[in-house]
């Protein structure tokens, strides 16, 4: 599955498979080169509660992080 999108980015790749669903990602690193691994997972009770892949960079990540911290989200 991810081989068909390999041209989207040579810097990183990741997959997640859970039951009948699978997510795959290839990445061209522009911002947050070390911390931008995907799929992103929010863990709960030893299993993922939320799994996300997305295309693009979040350029306003500083503002979003500040807003979430103000709402008492753990970052």
């Amino acid at each position: 599955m991810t081989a068909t999108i390999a041209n989207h980015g040579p810097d990183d790749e990741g997959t997640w498979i859970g039951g009948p669903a699978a997510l795959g990602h290839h990445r061209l690193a522009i911002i947050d080169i070390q911390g931008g691994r995907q799929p992103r997972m929010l863990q709960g009770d030893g299993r993922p509660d939320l799994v996300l892949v997305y295309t693009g960079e979040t350029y306003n990540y500083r503002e979003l992080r500040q807003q979430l911290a103000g709402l008492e989200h753990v970052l």
Side-chain angles (χ1 to χ4, degrees), residues 4-49:
T4 62
I5 60 169
N7 63 327
H8 290 200
D11 297 324
D12 198 10
E13 66 179 281
T15 57
W16 174 84
I17 300 171
L23 301 174
H25 187 266
H26 269 263
R27 178 170 188 255
L28 175 63
I30 298 171
I31 293 178
D32 196 13
I33 294 170
Q34 299 301 319
R37 294 208 40 108
Q38 292 191 48
R40 307 291 281 187
M41 286 181 250
L42 178 64
Q43 298 282 341
D45 297 329
R47 62 179 180 78
D49 285 336

Side-chain angles (χ1 to χ4, degrees), residues 7 33 56-57 61 64:
N7 63 327
I33 294 170
E57 296 288 341
Y61 66 93
L64 292 173

